[in-house]
Amino acid sequence: TGGWQRRHTVGGQLVYPTQDEGWTPSGELRAAVDGALREANSAGYAALSIDLGGAVVLAADEPGLTSLKAALPPVARGRTRFPLSLPGHSAFHTPLMAPMAAELEQTPPFAPPTSPLVDGSGRLWPAGGEACDVAALREYTIHEQVVA
C-alpha cells in the first residue's frame, strides 16, 4: 500500500482528543467532533476512522479536511496542538479508499504468515501453512482494514 499511497493520496486523516487534560472523557470534545463531522459532510466527505478511546482519528476528502480543521476548536495537550494532521495519510478505513482496495485485489495472493498475527479486532491469524485461512486474511486486510 505504501507505493500506491505515495502515488494516489486520497484525502487525509487528523487526530483530535476526546478526553480532557485529566484523561476524563469529555462530552464537550465529543460533541465538537460530532458537530465538525456534520459540517464537514456538508462540504465534502468525513468520517470517524478510528476511535482510540481518548482520541479519535477522523478521515476525509480535501473539502472535508478543510472543514474539520475549521470546525474543531483548537486544543493543546503539552506541546501537541489539535486538530493534528497526519502527514502522508489517506482517508483510511473509509469508502474513499475503494480505489486502493480494487488495485490491491490485483496483487499476488498472500503467503501464510510466519508468525501469528493479531488484527485490529483481536482476531488471531495463526502462523504457517494450512493453519491460517490466507484468503480470509487477504479479504480482511484489503477490505476491512483499508475500506471499512
Side-chain angles (χ1 to χ4, degrees), residues 67-144:
S67 180
L68 286 169
K69 290 174 190 175
L72 289 166
V75 174
R77 296 289 183 267
R79 294 183 299 170
T80 305
R81 304 289 180 250
F82 298 95
L84 176 67
S85 295
L86 299 176
H89 283 234
S90 279
F92 292 117
H93 314 296
T94 73
L96 295 174
M97 298 309 298
M100 178 187 237
E103 190 168 321
L104 289 171
E105 285 288 353
Q106 306 310 311
T107 61
F110 285 9
T114 57
S115 298
L117 305 173
V118 178
D119 67 29
S121 66
R123 185 175 15 190
L124 174 66
W125 300 92
E130 295 178 25
C132 180
D133 183 344
V134 179
L137 176 58
R138 178 183 169 90
E139 176 70 18
Y140 168 79
T141 302
I142 291 174
H143 295 285
E144 288 184 50

Side-chain angles (χ1 to χ4, degrees), residues 28-53:
E28 183 179 325
L29 292 172
R30 184 58 79 163
V33 168
D34 293 342
L37 283 169
R38 278 191 301 278
E39 286 185 39
N41 277 301
S42 66
Y45 177 84
L48 174 67
S49 179
I50 307 168
D51 189 332
L52 300 170

